[in-house]
Amino acid sequence: MKNPLIIAIDGPAASGKGTLSRKLATHFDLPHLDTGLIYRAVGQALLQVDLPLDNEELAAEVAQNIDFSKLDRKALSVHEIGEAASKVAIMPKVREILLQAQRDFAAKGAVLDGRDIGTVVCPNADIKLFVTASPQIRAKRRFDEMIERGRTQDDVTYEAVLADLKVRDDRDMNRKDAPLKPAQDAHLIDTSKMDIETAFQTVLDLVKHTGL
Ligand code: CDP
């Protein structure tokens, strides 16, 4: 029997990896896991009951109880939850607890996107992509998304979003455990000047060339 197809997609916030992953999952008829949502779910659970975001034991306990089948993307996409997620994501115990469940999800073939999929979660993935875009473009995308979802220009500015995004990039890239970086064999896709359809076609061409 043919080995199941695993596609690993990593990249920083608002690089376009989420939309690209969903399109690829539909195209290849594979299940998709947005691994950011599981870190977000840990952050959300702590925020909801006003618990600190810097207590590794507490966060690990919460991580133990995250149900991968009940991740509510809409509720979890709040900006503050993203910030909380990147704080708990630096904790080795939290990452370790979530690792096996991510591997189990991938085992039968899947598209996974996150920060450490090609490097740690699925180092043997068939296709690895590292999706980037300039910080300015990513901040503009995130800002537009927030306005679209009902935030107003009185309570959020592009400059603040850019500043937060740079802090988060820095935290994600410089943590000791599973930092955000391209796997050695990842294909780099810079979406700064690409719309989603162009990025999708670029990846399909690439997959064709790898003969999968
Ligand atoms: O949607 P956005 O790119 O803003 O963030 P996300 O993918 O939902 O991830 C939120 C945070 O979770 C990131 O800033 C990372 O700190 C963390 N994360 C991680 O450490 N490892 C992953 N595989 C996925 C997310």
Side-chain angles (χ1 to χ4, degrees), residues 82-204:
E83 295 293 308
S86 90
K87 290 182 184 159
V88 297
I90 64 170
M91 300 168 176
K93 281 188 188 163
V94 171
R95 302 201 73 85
E96 169 148 14
I97 288 165
L98 299 172
L99 180 60
Q100 193 52 47
Q102 292 175 78
R103 287 187 174 155
D104 291 345
F105 186 96
K108 288 191 197 127
V111 178
L112 285 87
D113 74 279
R115 302 291 189 285
D116 62 340
I117 309 303
T119 49
V120 176
V121 179
C122 301
N124 297 322
D126 301 278
I127 303 166
K128 297 184 188 177
L129 306 173
F130 193 84
V131 185
T132 58
S134 72
Q136 289 73 16
I137 300 255
R138 291 188 286 120
K140 173 80 171 70
R141 288 177 187 160
R142 197 40 56 97
F143 174 72
D144 290 347
E145 242 170 58
M146 290 165 89
I147 297 295
E148 209 171 291
R149 287 199 186 122
R151 298 282 289 259
T152 66
Q153 309 228 14
D154 292 333
D155 75 331
V156 60
T157 62
Y158 161 79
E159 287 73 20
V161 173
L162 177 62
D164 280 356
L165 190 131
K166 285 182 173 168
V167 171
R168 191 131 75 89
D169 281 358
D170 184 59
R171 203 185 287 129
D172 287 350
M173 291 190 292
N174 294 311
R175 66 182 177 222
K176 278 212 184 72
D177 199 13
L180 168 67
K181 64 171 182 199
Q184 265 183 354
D185 49 351
H187 301 276
L188 300 188
I189 314 258
D190 186 335
T191 66
S192 300
K193 292 184 184 145
M194 283 183 194
D195 61 15
I196 186 64
E197 197 48 43
T198 313
F200 178 56
Q201 287 306 328
T202 306
V203 176
L204 288 188

Side-chain angles (χ1 to χ4, degrees), residues 52-113:
L53 295 167
D54 59 359
N55 183 323
E56 188 161 359
E57 298 304 325
L58 263 179
E61 212 178 300
V62 169
Q64 207 100 48
N65 295 311
I66 297 298
D67 182 345
F68 279 34
S69 67
K70 294 208 177 98
L71 299 167
D72 180 347
R73 195 156 87 87
K74 194 152 177 259
L76 292 169
S77 60
V78 177
H79 182 66
E80 290 69 23
I81 296 180
E83 295 293 308
S86 90
K87 290 182 184 159
V88 297
I90 64 170
M91 300 168 176
K93 281 188 188 163
V94 171
R95 302 201 73 85
E96 169 148 14
I97 288 165
L98 299 172
L99 180 60
Q100 193 52 47
Q102 292 175 78
R103 287 187 174 155
D104 291 345
F105 186 96
K108 288 191 197 127
V111 178
L112 285 87
D113 74 279

